[in-house]
Amino acid sequence: MPRVRAWWPGAVAGLVAAALALAVGELVARLLEGESLVRAIGDVVVDSSPRAVSGVAIETFGTSNKPALLSGVVALSLLLGALLGPLAMRYRAIGVGAMAAFALAGGLAAARDPFTSPAQAWTTAAAAGGAGIATLLWLLRMANEGGADARAAPPDPRVKRPGRRRFLQFAGGGLAVAALSVPLGRRLIEPADDVDAQRAAIVLPPPSTPAPGTLTPASEEATPQPPPGARTPASQTPTPEPSPAVQSGPASVPGISPLVTPNSEFYRIDTRLSVPRIDSAQWRLRITGMVERPAEFTFDELLAMDLREEVSTLACVSNEVGGDLVGTAYWLGVPLPALLRGAGVQADATQVIGRAVDGFTVGFPTDVALDGRESLVVFGMNGEPLPADHGFPARLIVPGLYGYVSATKWLGEIELSRLDSFDAYWVYRGWPQQAPIKLQSRIDVPRGGQSLAPGNMRIAGVAWGGLSGVSGVQVRVSRRSTGGERSEGAWTDAELGEELSDSSWRQWVADWVASEGVFDLEVRAIDRSGMVQTAEEAPPFPDGATGHHSIRVRIRA
Ligand SMILES: Nc1nc2c(c(=O)[nH]1)N[C@H]1C(S)=C(S)[C@@H](COP(=O)(O)O)O[C@H]1N2
Ligand SMILES: [Mo]
């Protein structure tokens, strides 16, 4: 009877080979400062996820799932290695071919990366593939010497199998080296974070027209008295000094969202697994497409233009009711209309496309760009050069529009086109082409689910809409009886904080004397046109969540 061939040495060999291929790929990618093969494959998965899937899934796919996606790529690679190993034991060519195909896929994915040259991508892929093939062949040979291969001469029963132990030692060693090399490589060869060095060296010129609530530079004013909510351009912290006038207002409530969101707390949403690191000296902004005079600007040329600073609220369409994918910042940049007029927009160019250096695109109607709102090519955020996460060196900001149709980070090109001839990144994936920010409000304090003592209480939060400004916020407190019925309270007006601009959120506060019981606290906003925020509940897809933010608290002595 022929001995049944053991499958597991092949599986072990395949798994270890895949692990070492990944590890060598990571190390070489880091040494060459190119894109990691694992991340590059993850990016391909994000970008090519079927339209149907993205349409149903939220637009934050690839952001909220980044760690899961990367672990998935690694796990799948190891699994494939383990499955192919036993086959490779019989047919070496299959093992070698599969490893090569694997490296080829990684190389193709990395070559797609705009910050990785083909030479970097293919050197990395070749090193990874070579390591995988060498490991596989070496381990398989050792497995055979150990007698795991039935084709080997029947082992002399008197001979112990030193090969088997050696095989396991080498396999375990290979796995350990692979596991260790990743964190080690990360520590040893941390790529120089040159974006922060660049940002430190950039001096942002002051805007020619300051935004409302912006402090005139100290040199021009003897005793600067910041208006409430204003920030000092020189200071890196946008948190306003509360003036006596607002101390009793919403701004003074502990736990409320700051009127201006600090950069470090500003939400981040994008499709990138690794943040683009752009050299602003090499960077260019091109104006292309349906224009009379295509143009190209360097970073310094843009800085030297007439700058504007505007404060506005940016929201992600994927923000759930009560969610935190929304923030407000002072944006400093060149007015988009000026750039467009300079280039001469053709009459039938109905769409402005904002193209990122990584290929991401947004699109919005040319009419929106020219309707008087302060759309900007932005390079300053709250008095600092844009952080890498938020689009260094330049991004678009169009007040009143959700980020996915307007706010291209790592901007490289503004292309004029027609609405019906190009679908931007998320539009192609099923989201609507036009996406104004919806009227929304959020309760920041108290937190839902809290147990609180009876007495005077402040309910506070923020409210924002598109362009029409928030003119009112109302709060309703409803008691829930033990039976679960709800005795609905009346809507009462909250006190509003100051309004920095039509397109920025407002803080609000309502006082409540809480007695014992369980209560639902609910909020709704009213804009200047008199529109009341709808109670109708809708999910983020397709055009932004609606409904009232409502929280439940228990009041207990
Ligand atoms: N290059 C690039 N720009 C992008 C995105 C992206 O995926 N890539 N996402 C957009 C989306 S969906 C939103 S909501 C905003 C978020 O900007 P923030 O990360 O600065 O908050 O950026 C927009 N700009
Ligand atoms: Mo978004």
Side-chain angles (χ1 to χ4, degrees):
M1 275 264 287
R3 239 165 13 92
V4 176
R5 178 212 297 255
W7 58 269
W8 64 264
V12 169
L15 178 107
V16 175
L20 273 172
L22 289 178
V24 167
E26 283 305 293
L27 282 177
V28 173
R30 291 216 156 238
L31 277 169
L32 300 179
E33 294 183 0
E35 176 66 310
S36 133
L37 302 184
V38 172
R39 272 203 306 242
I41 290 173
D43 277 327
V44 171
V45 173
V46 172
D47 286 344
S48 59
S49 53
R51 301 166 67 164
V53 170
S54 327
V56 183
I58 55 170
E59 161 237 28
T60 48
F61 174 74
T63 295
S64 43
N65 299 315
K66 271 169 194 168
L69 187 59
L70 294 180
S71 320
V73 171
V74 170
L76 200 68
S77 311
L78 297 180
L79 183 72
L80 277 176
L83 290 177
L84 277 163
L87 254 181
M89 203 146 68
R90 190 188 292 244
Y91 310 105
R92 293 294 138 96
I94 291 190
V96 171
M99 283 288 165
F102 214 56
L104 189 73
L108 281 173
R112 256 176 99 249
D113 182 80
F115 306 101
T116 305
S117 70
Q120 284 170 317
W122 292 115
T123 312
T124 307
I133 290 170
T135 310
L136 185 70
L137 294 180
W138 172 259
L139 284 177
L140 286 179
R141 205 177 69 202
M142 230 180 297
N144 287 343
E145 281 168 5
D149 192 328
R151 282 177 304 182
D156 182 336
R158 290 162 305 180
V159 176
K160 283 270 189 322
R161 291 190 198 153
R164 173 74 53 91
R165 180 184 297 160
R166 224 163 64 91
F167 169 76
L168 285 175
Q169 278 167 351
F170 270 80
L175 214 53
V177 167
L180 280 178
S181 70
V182 174
L184 204 74
R186 204 151 283 172
R187 189 147 323 156
L188 289 181
I189 346 168
E190 192 61 55
D193 189 357
D194 54 9
V195 166
D196 280 332
Q198 292 183 61
R199 293 175 68 231
I202 290 168
V203 180
L204 291 178
S208 17
T209 330
T214 312
L215 178 64
T216 324
S219 55
E220 292 171 27
E221 208 169 332
T223 47
Q225 180 60 55
R231 58 173 186 78
T232 325
S235 101
Q236 302 287 299
T237 39
T239 323
E241 293 264 335
S243 75
V246 293
Q247 227 133 46
S248 63
S252 66
V253 179
I256 196 172
S257 304
L259 185 56
V260 179
T261 315
N263 290 353
S264 58
E265 286 168 31
F266 208 95
Y267 80 94
R268 172 189 164 200
I269 289 291
D270 53 68
T271 61
R272 293 291 306 180
L273 292 171
S274 54
V275 174
R277 310 253 164 218
I278 297 172
D279 179 354
S280 61
Q282 304 291 316
W283 175 87
R284 298 287 182 273
L285 175 66
R286 299 190 301 131
I287 316 245
T288 63
M290 298 166 66
V291 290
E292 305 303 337
R293 300 169 291 279
E296 190 175 295
F297 302 97
T298 66
F299 188 64
D300 289 339
E301 283 169 350
L302 287 177
L303 282 189
M305 293 179 157
D306 263 356
L307 306 187
R308 283 274 314 183
E309 188 169 52
E310 266 291 315
V311 56
S312 66
T313 294
L314 176 62
C316 181
V317 69
S318 296
N319 195 33
E320 305 273 356
V321 173
D324 56 8
L325 300 180
V326 55
T328 300
Y330 280 90
W331 307 105
L332 173 76
V334 176
L336 181 62
L339 290 173
L340 294 184
R341 293 208 175 91
V345 174
Q346 291 171 11
D348 51 347
T350 47
Q351 179 168 218
V352 178
I353 299 167
R355 221 177 261 287
V357 295
D358 68 341
F360 177 85
T361 49
V362 304
F364 49 91
T366 309
D367 287 347
V368 165
L370 299 175
D371 70 359
R373 73 183 84 195
E374 202 63 53
S375 304
L376 297 173
V377 170
V378 163
F379 26 75
M381 181 175 182
N382 290 328
E384 289 177 36
L386 273 178
D389 279 359
H390 298 289
F392 182 87
R395 75 176 304 170
L396 276 172
I397 288 290
V398 182
L401 296 188
Y402 282 121
Y404 85 92
V405 289
S406 66
T408 309
K409 304 193 276 189
W410 314 295
L411 182 68
E413 181 180 347
I414 295 171
E415 182 192 334
L416 275 293
S417 177
R418 272 196 298 262
L419 282 168
D420 58 10
S421 58
F422 180 78
D423 285 341
Y425 189 94
W426 285 112
V427 177
Y428 174 75
R429 287 159 178 79
W431 293 75
Q433 204 168 36
Q434 313 243 358
I437 296 178
K438 289 183 174 169
L439 189 59
Q440 260 300 342
S441 48
R442 182 177 75 198
I443 301 172
D444 291 335
V445 272
R447 295 261 159 216
Q450 265 185 327
S451 245
L452 302 155
N456 289 333
M457 177 128 18
R458 312 199 83 190
I459 308 169
V462 284
W464 63 94
L467 279 180
S468 351
V470 170
S471 65
V473 168
Q474 295 180 326
V475 173
R476 176 163 72 178
V477 177
S478 305
R479 178 188 288 274
R480 295 195 76 92
S481 68
T482 33
E485 310 100 67
R486 188 162 118 134
S487 56
E488 218 151 71
W491 287 107
T492 55
D493 288 331
E495 181 192 338
L496 287 178
E498 78 172 300
E499 182 170 46
L500 291 178
S501 78
D502 285 352
S503 53
S504 52
W505 67 16
R506 293 179 81 171
Q507 298 169 311
W508 56 267
V509 62
D511 291 313
W512 175 43
V513 184
S515 54
E516 286 193 39
V518 175
F519 296 90
D520 286 337
L521 314 182
E522 217 179 321
V523 64
R524 68 180 186 190
I526 299 156
D527 74 11
R528 212 178 295 118
S529 73
M531 188 173 86
V532 180
Q533 182 190 330
T534 177
E536 198 175 312
E537 288 179 17
F541 186 80
D543 57 358
T546 64
H548 294 160
H549 187 211
S550 170
I551 63 167
R552 185 163 300 171
V553 290
R554 177 184 296 278
I555 310 293
R556 229 189 334 222

